[in-house]
Amino acid sequence: MSHTATDNRGIDDTVTSHRATNPAGTNRTIFSGIQPTGRLTLGNYLGALGRFVDLQHAARCVFCVVDLHALTVEHDPRRLHQLTRETATIYLAAGLDPAVCVLTRQSDVSAHTELMYLLESTAYVGELNRMIQFKEKGRGRPRTRVSLYTYPVLMAADILLYGGTEVPVGDDQRQHVELARDLAIRFNREYGRTFVVPEMSPATVGARVMDLQNPTAKMSKDAPADSLGSIRLLDPPEVIVRKVSRAVTDTSPDVGYDPENRPGVSNLLEILAGCTGESDPAALAGKYDGYAALKRDTADAVVGVLEPLQNRYAELAADPAHVDATLRLGAERARELAAPTLAAARTAIGL
Ligand code: AMP
Ligand code: TRP
């Protein structure tokens, strides 16, 4: 189901100039971001970061540490600063190459918040009231931050600012990308064609990695630091092995893929598939007649993916000035890319 071709027909010069400068020579522009609200998990890797690395040569890409989004919930300023740098360092350690893609920090590019306001003047409260994440995380609580409510509009601004055609994210972000599409379409209709209408690009495997202890809930970086349910990208191998070996499965003796009725074992198969490049987790089930071997292979596969990342992380973390310089350069490039779209949106809306 591709709407982009039709929705973007006749797009104005701002949008086409993005494309003309696309180094990959395609019309694809990929944008995505991760919030520095906690230590990144295997879910972030399989649903997002690992795919950024695979996609970076296929299109013009902008990947962002979305630190403004981290202000939507209670936060400690010092920890936020540390997590922002840790997340940027993990981007590099995972293999994102600043010579190939733009790596930036959201708060370095003021166009994000400027465009957000223009889009807030396009979005309806009825739309934001429907956002599942807001309903779950804050609705009805008097001390919920206003920014949590308007967060999907900032996310739309992030994407639209760079003319993002594809947004690689985990399954939980589907509704937010839909909103970005709706806002782009509405703005274009009311004020003239200004934005590219983006599409969600979901992972085929690992789009929703579940908590190992509570496999009906998503694995989250907001889990407590000592949680056995979340595998962190920087967990040492022995911790990964322990977490996987203690993962909740079920009472059935055989190994089978059935996410609805057997979420624990299905999640392990999904993780194994995601970490070995296998496209069909169900096909892996037949290779196992017990949980012990499945857990051993899953732990090995996760360690196999994360160990090289951790080694590079150790090198990069020893040189924070290099990471800072990379982000500075990324911010300059991002500002250049963002400026024409913001200018066009301002003009279109009457400023
Ligand atoms: P967040 O942790 O909310 O900042 O998410 C950053 C990216 O990781 C988004 O694309 C999410 O959809 C993705 N993500 C987060 N948790 C998971 C998970 N458990 N499984 C798959 N993708 C995830
Ligand atoms: N909201 C996303 C999340 O929680 C993070 C994010 C912010 C994002 N802006 C974005 C993802 C733009 C993709 C594109 O995961």
Side-chain angles (χ1 to χ4, degrees):
M1 191 185 61
S2 173
H3 308 277
T4 316
T6 351
D7 294 338
N8 294 334
R9 214 179 283 148
I11 214 114
D12 76 4
D13 286 350
T14 307
V15 176
T16 43
S17 75
H18 267 313
R19 293 180 172 176
T21 57
N22 185 332
T26 71
N27 284 345
R28 298 172 70 189
T29 297
I30 293 172
F31 181 92
S32 197
I34 299 181
Q35 305 183 59
T37 44
R39 313 201 74 187
L40 265 54
T41 71
L42 186 64
N44 294 128
Y45 188 85
L46 295 179
L49 180 58
R51 300 173 55 228
F52 304 171
V53 177
D54 293 341
L55 287 164
Q56 65 181 327
H57 295 285
R60 198 250 310 274
C61 293
V62 181
F63 297 117
C64 194
V65 180
V66 287
D67 53 350
L68 296 172
H69 276 93
L71 302 180
T72 57
V73 288
E74 206 175 314
H75 77 288
D76 169 35
R78 275 194 41 213
R79 183 165 184 264
L80 171 59
H81 200 77
Q82 279 161 3
L83 284 171
T84 299
R85 181 183 269 156
E86 180 175 300
T87 304
T89 309
I90 289 180
Y91 274 21
L92 293 169
L96 288 180
D97 180 350
V100 171
C101 56
V102 177
L103 297 181
T104 184
R105 177 170 61 166
Q106 190 184 29
S107 64
D108 282 337
V109 185
S110 59
H112 288 252
T113 41
E114 271 188 79
L115 183 60
M116 177 194 190
Y117 185 75
L118 305 190
L119 293 177
E120 277 180 3
S121 307
T122 308
Y124 303 141
V125 286
E127 283 170 320
L128 297 189
N129 287 337
R130 282 198 294 275
M131 294 293 125
I132 297 162
Q133 209 169 59
F134 179 72
K135 287 191 205 168
E136 287 173 358
K137 280 171 85 174
R139 191 162 77 179
R141 286 180 225 138
R143 298 180 70 89
T144 294
R145 296 183 178 179
V146 173
S147 56
L148 186 71
Y149 184 63
T150 54
Y151 154 129
V153 185
L154 178 58
M155 178 163 162
D158 298 341
I159 299 166
L160 302 186
L161 205 46
Y162 300 99
T165 54
E166 290 158 62
V167 188
V169 280
D171 225 27
D172 58 335
Q173 296 303 311
R174 187 174 292 278
Q175 202 187 22
H176 294 158
V177 179
E178 281 295 320
L179 180 77
R181 289 177 53 80
D182 291 346
L183 296 184
I185 292 168
R186 185 175 311 144
F187 192 104
N188 288 347
R189 195 180 55 228
E190 291 183 8
Y191 307 116
R193 291 204 178 256
T194 308
F195 298 120
V196 174
V197 181
E199 299 249 5
M200 158 129 177
S201 157
T204 43
V205 175
R208 193 171 176 80
V209 177
M210 308 309 275
D211 186 284
L212 299 178
Q213 289 297 312
N214 178 14
T216 53
K218 173 186 97 152
M219 184 182 286
S220 166
K221 58 175 141 54
D222 305 331
D226 60 355
S227 160
L228 288 175
S230 266
I231 296 176
R232 311 283 171 169
L233 299 186
L234 300 181
D235 275 346
E238 63 278 11
V239 173
I240 294 172
V241 170
R242 188 167 72 234
K243 287 179 175 176
V244 173
S245 68
R246 301 227 188 132
V248 168
T249 48
D250 56 49
T251 49
S252 177
D254 66 316
V255 171
Y257 185 76
D258 177 357
E260 191 130 321
N261 300 307
R262 305 187 61 190
V265 61
S266 303
N267 190 38
L268 290 176
L269 288 164
E270 189 92 20
I271 290 172
L272 177 61
C275 290
T276 53
E278 173 66 53
S279 57
D280 182 9
L284 291 173
K287 294 189 178 169
Y288 295 95
D289 47 20
Y291 294 128
L294 171 63
K295 286 181 166 179
R296 192 189 55 232
D297 283 3
T298 303
D300 281 353
V302 175
V303 170
V305 166
L306 296 187
E307 222 170 17
L309 181 155
Q310 295 176 359
N311 293 338
R312 283 193 296 271
Y313 181 87
E315 287 167 25
L316 290 158
D319 187 4
H322 170 72
V323 176
D324 289 347
T326 304
L327 285 179
R328 266 199 307 279
L329 192 71
E332 270 170 42
R333 294 173 62 200
R335 282 188 211 110
E336 278 165 24
L337 291 174
T341 313
L342 178 63
R346 286 175 56 106
T347 306
I349 210 169
L351 298 177

